[in-house]
Amino acid sequence: MEFSRVTLQQKKTNKGTWQPYVGDDLSWGQMLRSFPNKGYLNDVPWSRHLSNMGWHSCRWEFLEAEEPQAYCQSFLKLYPFRIGIMWIPDGIIGDYDCIKTLQDDLRSNLNLRVLYIRFRDSQHFNMDNYIKILIGGWSEPSNSFSANLTMILDISDSKKQVIGRLSRNWQRALNKSSQIPFNIVEIKDSSAIADLYLQLKASKALKSNEIFSENIIKSLMQVFDDKLIVLGVMDLEGNLLSIRGAICRDKIAMDTFAATNSAGRSLSASHAIFMALIERCQELGCSIYDLNGIDPANSKGVYNFKKGTGAEVKASLGEFEQSNSKVLKFAINFVSKYR
């Protein structure tokens, strides 16, 4: 993809501008290590994953006096009449003061007539950054793609201490699962995971966008490789009852796949596999397990399961949007609400 870079004269007359990042994957990864609060959604594997899903990966840096002040990893889809839709999965890397000109600078660099940008920031809610975002002309969308609440579980203690923080109902279910003979195995077959999700979809009447497709599963397993751990519960006949997976990066485990069929639910297999995955993440040096989103109003069962682990609720900055077209902004929110 070709960019129209801001000229040297424009740099001199402006305090700073967003420009295409000129480094490679290696230098990008090295830069990220200076920002420990920015997780896997800004990393190279996620860029490769969304590229597999048909998005153009675009990286940016905010230059002021030739020095970078902030960075951004974005994903773009282009449409006729020079229209672009951009998704930034984990916000700005660096100073949020730089967000004021993001929309205009990127639209200019990309030579687009219309550009819609939405970003989500998973960092814990910070009032200073929230105000900077609003002052920068960004607004919260009328229909969010994801929840701005998650749950964080401390797994730095021993297994006994982690179990000691479980709720009474959670412990009861875990004890029940321990009395049933089954095997816990590592799952490497994306089709097996996809099939279990299809069983879950059928039993709970879920929409297609509420489960992982095999293409998405295969891509995630490919790009994250041994950093993505997926464990499964199999009965003695070799039937897969439940799976759970996590991406382990920088001592943080991020909940990813989770599916249990009807037979597995009756045996509390989801409780057994969760504790087995926690142990594996501990072995890999993780001290925090991010349960990756809760929606207490619309997914009460999932919320109660995660709450029962003893995890603490955390609010993130959430989602924001900006566009130079009110019509496009309205259309995206309207379509996403009923997709």
Side-chain angles (χ1 to χ4, degrees):
M1 179 179 296
E2 295 184 358
F3 300 101
S4 175
R5 290 182 67 86
V6 176
T7 65
L8 180 61
Q9 182 61 37
Q10 286 175 302
K11 290 182 184 179
K12 290 179 179 178
T13 57
N14 291 324
K15 289 184 177 180
T17 58
W18 286 95
Q19 293 285 293
Y21 179 77
V22 295
D24 58 11
D25 285 351
L26 180 61
S27 64
W28 183 263
Q30 291 171 338
M31 175 276 296
L32 274 180
R33 283 195 278 274
S34 301
F35 299 91
N37 66 322
K38 289 297 179 179
Y40 72 104
L41 296 174
N42 281 297
D43 215 340
V44 174
W46 195 255
S47 173
R48 293 173 181 164
H49 168 59
L50 284 195
S51 294
N52 290 342
M53 298 297 104
W55 292 83
H56 297 286
S57 176
C58 309
R59 291 175 182 151
W60 312 91
E61 58 185 347
F62 185 86
L63 297 175
E64 187 173 352
E66 302 298 321
E67 292 295 325
Q69 305 296 321
Y71 304 87
C72 174
Q73 177 163 272
S74 68
F75 300 92
L76 177 70
K77 286 193 174 181
L78 296 172
Y79 297 90
F81 310 109
R82 292 166 48 215
I83 295 173
I85 294 176
M86 181 174 286
W87 169 240
I88 302 173
D90 202 10
I92 301 303
I93 306 164
D95 190 350
Y96 260 107
D97 276 330
C98 303
I99 202 170
K100 296 177 183 177
T101 64
L102 183 70
Q103 212 274 348
D104 289 339
D105 288 349
L106 268 54
R107 182 161 51 90
S108 175
N109 272 289
L110 294 164
N111 192 29
L112 293 173
R113 185 175 60 86
V114 174
L115 177 62
Y116 172 90
I117 302 178
R118 180 178 292 205
F119 76 85
R120 178 183 183 273
D121 197 310
S122 62
Q123 70 170 290
H124 295 166
F125 186 86
N126 177 295
M127 183 58 74
D128 289 340
N129 283 340
Y130 180 75
I131 291 173
K132 287 177 181 179
I133 293 167
L134 297 181
I135 290 176
W138 296 77
S139 59
E140 297 177 67
S142 60
N143 186 60
S144 295
F145 296 158
S146 58
N148 69 336
L149 297 176
T150 190
M151 301 197 81
I152 304 296
L153 180 63
D154 180 1
I155 60 172
S156 61
D157 298 325
S158 67
K159 177 184 177 181
K160 182 178 180 180
Q161 290 171 308
V162 172
I163 291 177
R165 293 195 292 268
L166 299 174
S167 70
R168 183 176 301 177
N169 286 340
W170 220 101
Q171 288 190 18
R172 187 180 299 116
L174 184 61
N175 290 335
K176 175 184 176 181
S177 69
S178 67
Q179 298 169 14
I180 300 168
F182 51 67
N183 298 312
I184 293 181
V185 297
E186 187 159 355
I187 306 297
K188 296 289 188 180
D189 183 2
S190 60
S191 62
I193 300 172
D195 182 64
L196 194 62
Y197 268 109
L198 290 176
Q199 295 177 49
L200 178 66
K201 177 186 176 185
S203 65
K204 292 197 170 185
L206 300 176
K207 299 177 182 177
S208 294
N209 64 355
E210 293 179 300
I211 65 169
F212 285 98
S213 69
E214 185 171 356
N215 284 341
I216 292 175
I217 296 166
K218 186 182 295 184
S219 174
L220 288 170
M221 296 182 80
Q222 173 193 347
V223 301
F224 284 102
D225 196 22
D226 59 356
K227 288 184 171 60
L228 174 53
I229 310 300
V230 184
L231 300 183
V233 171
M234 282 190 172
D235 65 19
L236 299 184
E237 285 74 42
N239 300 307
L240 188 61
L241 306 178
S242 180
I243 60 98
R244 197 158 201 119
I247 296 169
C248 297
R249 175 186 180 275
D250 297 337
K251 298 185 179 181
I252 298 174
M254 177 64 69
D255 205 45
T256 307
F257 301 134
T260 303
N261 62 18
S262 299
R265 285 195 294 276
S266 68
L267 302 175
S268 298
S270 56
H271 296 76
I273 199 66
F274 182 82
M275 288 308 303
L277 184 58
I278 291 297
E279 285 188 77
R280 179 64 65 86
C281 293
Q282 289 175 320
E283 292 170 1
L284 294 171
C286 294
S287 58
I288 293 173
Y289 194 99
D290 188 331
L291 283 139
N292 198 15
I294 54 171
D295 187 354
N298 299 309
S299 298
K300 189 175 180 180
V302 174
Y303 166 65
N304 286 335
F305 179 93
K306 294 181 178 183
K307 181 182 178 183
T309 66
E312 294 184 9
V313 176
K314 299 289 184 182
S316 67
L317 279 171
E319 293 183 17
F320 298 87
E321 64 180 358
Q322 193 177 99
S323 178
N324 62 320
S325 168
K326 293 182 179 179
V327 173
L328 182 58
K329 183 189 293 187
F330 172 82
I332 289 173
N333 280 279
F334 181 82
V335 171
S336 65
K337 185 176 181 179
Y338 298 102
R339 64 190 170 93

